[in-house]
């Protein structure tokens, strides 16, 4: 039996069992009444005890949303979403005031433990010695974690230590209360409430998310991380993340997400805004592993996300790294507005689609400032009956003299029933712009697979190894813990049961 | 008897390449195969390793008396078959070290043996690579990517030394090696010689056989073994060429 | 696809609608042809001129660019016919069979109609009027598209060339379709059909020279199994020129096209190419030289519907002043079109800060055993190279000219026919010489 055919067959029988995050946690929750109206928006705002300005902001967005139409330009095809048949707010019932992690519902802590996310600081501090793939001992790293369960942040670790450094890392709902001046200044300043259908919806109904502010000159002493978990049935998740790196600051932020297996589709429409001032840097990494649906395309998360960074200051830098393996539909274009002179934007992406998944993802690099540079490395892998599209824009405006971009977009096809598509828009509006773009699409090399198999690897192992090699340039951009996790995830996403 | 090839007929893309090849390899035996370009040596080695796209129309391959025709390449590898490729494949992005560990553990798993612990594995690779003059830097680099011809060949022998096969097929491992490398690689191969391990050494040059002295020499032409003899046969071929055998086979 | 509901028509759209309504009855062709026109017109009437929200016309907003629609051209007069002798200079040095068209109308007396075995030549107006079977079997059917410019052409098509090359025929000489405009600014809707049957070989060249007139031309071309076709197109215009090539390629055929746009005010060159049979090869190439406020849009859809075909696309553009170059190239590999091999390369040389280059190379792939790729670059002349030349005593302008020549030369060199290669290179050099 030909090796490749065998691999293809295995991959084809994508089995829901392999989604190991598909369990449901049984916790009592409190929900907004089903459906979406001005009352829903008021309900959410009231639940959060928000100031009037915040409610106003939401209501304005909601009014605007009513006049907007769902975008249709992406290469994704899904049944019409009934916005009135979903819950827009769901929070685990809990004691009114949480003074320590111990008071978090143990069921939820258990959930995060199952997901392999250490929320408890002591676990982190105890720190098991970890080694990388080649056996080198990893430098011990600590990660501050914010866990968002359904719509609400349930726990944030390392708060005290971060506070000492001057770093604000807290749920958005708390930031609205405690740092209204910062929130008012930056919220919606990168992704305005009018931006697009899903971002506007998010502005109206977002329930929580993470807020990060790193003051001038501060290098955040640890990685910050948020784990998003959709648990409730029939619930949309709309988180809002805002990260500001003030002059000369640096922060690395990681985001992970999972959801139970459910037959119905669930909507996830998040907005992430990043702002860097002069000489600041934000590194934003995502491992997106929402439930992708079953082999027939039943269920799975609809992931419509607006992520944008604004390099507002001179010589600032924003770097997006994403590993996209989950979701039934992915609609996502983390972008950089390179406004400050000398600023730099980066986008590193691995997008894997299998089964009936549909991915339409890419980036926008908008060069406005002088001598701005950007780099795009995108690796798409399509298997099963999936469709995987890279869509990107690189544009240099008239005044963006000295703009530079390098783009490399490669697609790998596994099996003959999937599609791989590349749609780049490249716009140069001044003579000193230098743009280089290259793209390729090909099938996974049979020679490589045979070479690996002749050394004893199974079809799945060989495929995973070759694919991991293919995405290496992007994996390298991830913080070590995530890189290992992502590597495993890639194997799992592509195979029957290896891993 | 470790390996028995019986009347093997093989086609690729409707082209007949092997035409009734018969060959036996004894346990612990080192057999050299020589033959003109295009006579089917590499094809034979790929078929042994289980590459698809080759259509076996007749005959059988027996390992320990059992047919291996139905086995996938990795199952053959686990049974101890190892092919050092004439043209080793580049695998971008995959560190040689990762590749070796994945391969070794995969084989051990298939054989029901435990995985190597990381420190043991690292020690094994360090020692083995030092003997073969493969640098640490090469181990970190992606498999064969940007390696020179000779470095690729050395990497093949390193893999063989780590995987410890029972039947190693070396397809022109000597071509591309400089004089010193030829010595180092041959020594590496000789160290692996044992009563438990058989080898098929495919080469065009008698010189290699001065280092790796074969027990028998087979001459292959037009997809079959046309003559077998002792190591002196290689000297004779060097002197007279293949003309007489190619005519015979015609 | 993105057409929105619209009731308000621009003056140009209104003029086009009334032009059609005025000549509908007089246009050549009855029955199926008239129905085809009517259907195309309804499409145009509903959607109007293509605009920036129509993805394929994103960078060439014809609705905005076309302020007015000129009146339909009248039949050419004697003065125009006399002038036509000098048209098509670019390929004059080649020994071609010239077929001359003025404002889209065929001028037999200025054309070379010497008989040649296996070759049939006719005028589209006659063919449509007479209900010629070759034309009625093909027109509007070579590559179906809902493109608005093609629809407009179909509604108003008046004349053009109909060329049939019989199976196995190797044409003695290249055919040169010479298109020129008369004195009066006008609009021409030219439709041509070229059928090159099995194992035949043909070289077709097309030159367009026009003043401020508006030309919408469409060429439907069918290349049979085993046939070989070279197709060259050179365009100069002070007005608007929208050209559509609708091409179907059979099995084991070879096609090479080359387009040169220089001194072209507003051009849209769109190609719709389908590889319908296995084992064919295609090369689509071109050079665009822009200055002033010129706008040149090269858009192509290459569809690999059958496996084992290879296509190469290579385009070079040099932009001076406020030149605006658009390139959109979409390669589609259909399911089962295995072993498709494509490579698309576009390079833009930006000589001025006011110039703009928009580039959209696309891949849409549904078969796995393929090798497809594209590359795109945009940038200025390499200052190191320029310095090197200048350090050898070559002055600034000359150094630039040499480097530009080398830049476009790479693509021009791909033309295998020596005569056409030289003619096109000469035209490019002429442009360089007149560069201020
Ligand atoms: N995939 C293939 N398709 C078509 N022909 C093939 C294929 N593989 C091998 N061949 C042909 O089979 C014949 C034997 O090739 P093979 O590589 O086995 O020869 P060899 O004895 O190893 O030669 P060399 O000494 O040059 O390495 C050659 O004629 C070769 O061209
Ligand atoms: Mg060989």
């Amino acid at each position: 039996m030909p090796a490749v055919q065998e691999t293809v067959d295995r991959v084809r029988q994508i089995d829901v069992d392999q989604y190991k995050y598909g369990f449901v946690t049984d916790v009592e929750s409190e929900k907004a009444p089903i459906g979406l109206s001005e009352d829903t928006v008021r309900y959410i705002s009231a639940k959060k005890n928000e100031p009037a300005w915040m409610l106003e902001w939401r209501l304005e967005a909601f009014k605007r949303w009513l006049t907007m139409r769902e975008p249709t330009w992406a290469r994704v095809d899904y049944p019409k979403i009934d916005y009135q048949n979903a819950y827009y707010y769901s929070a685990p019932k809990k004691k009114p005031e949480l003074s320590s992690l111990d008071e978090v519902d143990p069921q939820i802590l258990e959930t995060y433990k199952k997901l392999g996310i250490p929320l408890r600081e002591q676990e982190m501090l105890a720190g098991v010695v970890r080694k990388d793939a080649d056996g080198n001992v990893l430098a011990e790293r600590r990660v501050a974690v914010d866990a968002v369960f359904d719509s609400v942040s349930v726990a944030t670790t390392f708060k005290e230590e971060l506070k000492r450094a001057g770093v604000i890392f807290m749920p958005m709902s708390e930031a609205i209360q405690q740092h209204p001046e910062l929130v008012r200044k930056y919220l919606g300043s990168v992704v305005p409430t009018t931006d697009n259908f899903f971002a506007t919806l998010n502005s109206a109904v977002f329930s929580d998310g993470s807020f990060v502010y790193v003051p001038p000159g501060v290098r955040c002493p640890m990685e910050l991380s948020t784990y998003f978990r959709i648990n409730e049935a029939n619930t949309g998740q709309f988180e809002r993340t805002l990260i500001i790196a003030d002059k000369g600051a640096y922060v690395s932020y990681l985001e992970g997400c999972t959801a139970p297996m459910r037959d119905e589709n669930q909507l996830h429409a998040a907005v992430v805004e990043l702002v860097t001032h002069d000489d600041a840097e934000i590194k934003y990494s995502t491992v997106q592993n929402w439930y992708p649906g079953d082999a027939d395309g039943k269920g799975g998360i609809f992931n419509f996300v607006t992520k944008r960074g604004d390099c507002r200051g001179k010589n600032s830098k924003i770097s997006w790294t994403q590993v996209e393996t989950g979701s039934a539909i992915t609609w996502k274009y983390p972008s950089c507005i390179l406004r400050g002179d000398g600023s730099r934007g980066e986008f590193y992406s691995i997008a894997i689609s299998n089964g009936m998944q549909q991915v339409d993802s890419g980036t926008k690099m908008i060069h406005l400032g002088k001598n701005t540079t950007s780099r795009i490395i995108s690796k798409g892998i399509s298997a099963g009956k999936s469709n995987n599209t890279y869509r990107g824009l690189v544009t240099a405006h008239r005044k963006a003299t000295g703009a530079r971009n390098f783009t490399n977009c490669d697609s790998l096809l596994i099996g003959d029933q999937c599609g791989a598509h590349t749609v780049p828009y490249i716009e140069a509006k001044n003579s000193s712009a230098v743009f280089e773009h290259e793209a390729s699409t090909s099938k996974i090399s049979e020679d490589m697979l045979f070479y690996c198999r002749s050394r004893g690897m199974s079809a799945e192992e060989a495929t995973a190894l070759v694919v991991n090699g293919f995405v290496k340039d992007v994996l390298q951009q991830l913080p070590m813990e995530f890189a290992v996790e992502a590597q495993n995830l890639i194997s799992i996403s592509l195979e029957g049961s290896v891993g | 008897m470790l390996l028995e090839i019986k009347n093997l007929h093989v086609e690729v893309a409707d082209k007949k390449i092997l035409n009734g090849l018969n060959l036996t390899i004894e346990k612990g035996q080192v057999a050299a195969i020589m033959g003109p370009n295009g006579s089917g040596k590499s094809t034979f080695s790929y078929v042994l390793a289980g590459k698809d796209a080759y259509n076996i129309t007749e005959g059988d391959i027996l390992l320990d008396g059992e047919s291996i025709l139905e086995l996938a390449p990795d199952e053959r590898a686990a049974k101890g078959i190892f092919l050092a490729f004439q043209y080793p494949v580049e695998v971008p992005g995959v560190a040689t070290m990762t590749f070796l560990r994945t391969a070794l553990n995969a084989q051990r798993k298939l054989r029901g043996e435990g995985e190597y612990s990381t420190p043991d594995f690292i020690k094994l690779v360090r020692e083995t690579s030092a003997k073969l003059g493969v640098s640490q830097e090469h181990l970190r680099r992606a498999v064969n990517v940007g390696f020179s011809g000779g470095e690729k060949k050395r990497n093949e022998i390193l893999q063989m030394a780590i995987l410890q096969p029972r039947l190693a097929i070396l397809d022109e491992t000597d071509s591309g090696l400089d004089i010193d490398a030829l010595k180092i690689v041959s020594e590496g191969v000789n160290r692996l010689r044992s009563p438990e391990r058989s080898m098929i050494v495919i080469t065009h040059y008698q010189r290699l056989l001065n280092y790796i002295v074969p027990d028998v020499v087979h001459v292959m032409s037009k997809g079959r073994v046309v003559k077998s003899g002792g190591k002196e046969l290689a000297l004779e071929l060097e002197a007279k060429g293949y003309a007489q055998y190619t005519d015979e086979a015609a | 696809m993105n057409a929105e509901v619209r009731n308000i028509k621009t003056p140009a759209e209104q003029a086009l609608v009334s032009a059609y309504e005025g000549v509908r009855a007089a246009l050549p062709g009855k029955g199926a042809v008239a129905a085809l026109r009517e259907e195309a017109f309804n499409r145009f009437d509903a959607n109007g001129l293509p605009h920036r929200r129509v993805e394929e016309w994103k960078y060439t907003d014809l609705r905005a660019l076309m302020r007015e629609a000129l009146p339909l051209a009248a039949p050419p007069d004697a003065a125009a016919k006399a002038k036509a002798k000098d048209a098509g200079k670019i390929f004059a040095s080649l020994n071609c069979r010239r077929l001359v068209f003025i404002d889209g109308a065929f001028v037999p007396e200025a054309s070379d109609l010497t008989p040649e075995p296996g070759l049939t030549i006719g005028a589209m107006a006659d063919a449509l009027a007479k209900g010629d079977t070759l034309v009625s079997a093909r027109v509007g059917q070579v590559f179906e598209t809902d493109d608005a410019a093609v629809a407009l052409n179909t509604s108003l098509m008046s004349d053009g060339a109909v060329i049939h090359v019989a199976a196995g025929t190797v044409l003695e000489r290249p055919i040169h379709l010479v298109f020129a405009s008369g004195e009066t600014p006008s609009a021409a809707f030219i439709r041509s059909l070229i059928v090159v049957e099995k194992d035949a070989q043909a070289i077709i060249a097309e030159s367009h020279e026009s003043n401020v007139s508006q030309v919408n031309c469409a060429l439907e071309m069918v290349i049979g199994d085993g046939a070989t076709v070279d197709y060259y197109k050179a365009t100069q215009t002070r007005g608007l020129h929208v050209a559509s090539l609708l091409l179907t390629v059979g099995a084991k055929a070879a096609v090479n096209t080359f387009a040169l746009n220089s001194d072209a005010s507003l051009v849209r060159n769109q190609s719709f190419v389908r590889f319908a049979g296995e084992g064919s090869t295609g090369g689509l190439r071109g050079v665009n030289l822009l200055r002033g406020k010129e706008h040149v849009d090269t858009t192509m859809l290459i569809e690999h519907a059958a496996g084992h075909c290879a296509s190469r696309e290579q385009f070079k553009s040099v932009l001076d002043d406020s030149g605006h170059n658009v390139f959109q190239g979409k390669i589609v590999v259909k399911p089962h079109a295995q072993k498709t091999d494509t490579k698309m390369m576009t390079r833009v040389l930006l000589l001025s800060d006011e110039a703009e280059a928009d580039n959209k190379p696309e891949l849409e792939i549904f078969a796995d055993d393929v090798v497809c790729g594209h590359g795109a670059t945009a940038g200025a002349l390499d200052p190191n190279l320029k310095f090197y030349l200048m350090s050898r005593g070559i002055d600034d302008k000359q150094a630039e000219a040499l480097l530009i020549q080398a830049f476009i030369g790479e693509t021009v060199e791909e033309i295998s026919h020596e005569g056409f290669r030289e003619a096109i290179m000469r035209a490019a050099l002429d442009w360089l010489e007149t560069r201020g």
Side-chain angles (χ1 to χ4, degrees), chain A residues 465-486:
Chain A
L465 196 77
V466 171
V467 169
N468 266 308
F470 174 72
V471 301
K472 176 80 167 202
D473 291 349
V474 175
L475 278 182
Q476 273 173 344
Q477 300 297 328
L478 284 172
M480 188 62 84
E481 295 85 339
F482 258 35
V484 175
E485 186 186 330

Side-chain angles (χ1 to χ4, degrees), chain B residues 12 15 17 36-43 86 172 204:
Chain B
V12 176
K15 182 178 167 186
I17 299 175
N37 294 130
S39 56
K41 305 180 297 295
S42 294
T43 302
Q86 182 175 5
E172 296 196 27
H204 286 295

